[in-house]
Amino acid sequence: MPPKVKFSREEIIAAALDIVREGGLTALTARSLAAKLGSSAKPVFGLFENMQEVQTEVMIAANAEYQSFLRTEMMRGTYKPYKASGMAYIAFARREKELFKLLFMRDRTEERIDAKDDSIDDIIAIISRNTGLSAEDARLFHLEMWIFVHGIATMIVTNYLDWEEEHISRALTDAYEGLKTRWCGEVKE
């Protein structure tokens, strides 16, 4: 008769996520996970094939946390939806530095940006509605804006920049209006 399972997969993933949140992905080892659980590594490997599988599940859990944070921030109504997505991305970077690094600051050689990525269709629809751009042009607009947003977020994560929310908000508005002028030819007077 096999030994009784001491921890569920979910409990192990939550503990692993906490380790990554505190010390980054390199801190997640079988030994650190066992210590966090107050156990040996045996229960972990009774439910997971190897540490790579645990890391994959941590990546999924971290992304779920980010997506939930993003949705919550966009629904709060503090900013218009498109701006809220950028502000939330930056806020997540500030609050969850290690999870942000895990999700957005790792080698992504196998994950090239695809112009047809349907995971951002809702964002593209918002841009199209706000600017009158075609979906294709709205994707390019978003990519240019996202590069700016990602730059701010990575500078915050690496402690190179420490802007207040109000300053970030102004900078995103400036970048958005500049791109809108470039793409749509609208000039404010």
Side-chain angles (χ1 to χ4, degrees):
M1 184 169 174
K4 184 176 179 180
V5 175
K6 193 172 184 180
F7 302 100
S8 69
R9 282 180 66 90
E10 292 75 22
E11 290 170 322
I12 293 170
I13 293 166
L17 187 64
D18 284 345
I19 291 168
V20 172
R21 180 178 272 125
E22 294 164 12
L25 190 60
T26 58
L28 180 59
T29 64
R31 182 171 288 155
S32 69
L33 186 52
K36 181 82 169 172
L37 293 167
S39 176
S40 71
K42 192 171 184 177
V44 173
F45 295 117
L47 293 171
F48 294 90
E49 191 78 20
N50 52 39
M51 283 306 292
Q52 181 60 47
E53 184 181 359
V54 174
Q55 289 176 352
T56 298
E57 292 299 323
V58 165
M59 182 78 73
I60 292 166
N63 187 55
E65 286 208 19
Y66 167 68
Q67 294 297 329
S68 174
F69 182 83
L70 180 65
R71 277 189 305 277
T72 299
E73 290 299 302
M74 288 179 72
M75 289 173 41
R76 266 188 346 153
T78 305
Y79 302 102
K80 291 182 179 180
Y82 185 62
K83 184 174 187 177
S85 71
M87 293 297 290
Y89 186 82
I90 293 167
F92 185 81
R94 185 184 306 274
R95 292 179 190 159
E96 294 287 359
K97 289 184 177 188
E98 294 301 330
L99 296 185
F100 182 87
K101 288 177 191 175
L102 174 68
L103 293 172
F104 305 110
M105 294 179 67
R106 61 187 161 76
D107 182 353
R108 299 182 78 165
T109 303
E110 303 301 318
E111 303 173 43
R112 302 293 177 171
I113 293 176
D114 180 0
K116 300 300 181 200
D117 178 7
D118 61 357
S119 69
I120 59 170
D121 284 349
D122 291 342
I123 296 290
I124 301 312
I126 291 169
I127 295 168
S128 290
R129 264 193 320 274
N130 291 348
T131 63
L133 292 172
S134 69
E136 183 179 329
D137 285 347
R139 280 185 192 281
L140 295 173
F141 182 106
H142 175 64
L143 181 57
E144 289 182 36
M145 189 68 199
W146 183 78
I147 290 167
F148 184 75
V149 169
H150 181 69
I152 293 172
T154 58
M155 286 190 280
I156 287 172
V157 164
T158 59
N159 300 312
Y160 188 68
L161 185 68
D162 189 23
W163 285 354
E164 297 295 324
E165 183 176 338
E166 184 180 320
H167 191 85
I168 293 167
S169 174
R170 277 196 321 268
L172 293 190
T173 295
D174 290 347
Y176 178 86
E177 291 299 330
L179 283 172
K180 189 174 171 187
T181 297
R182 178 200 162 316
W183 281 92
C184 303
E186 297 176 17
V187 178
K188 283 187 167 181
E189 298 208 23

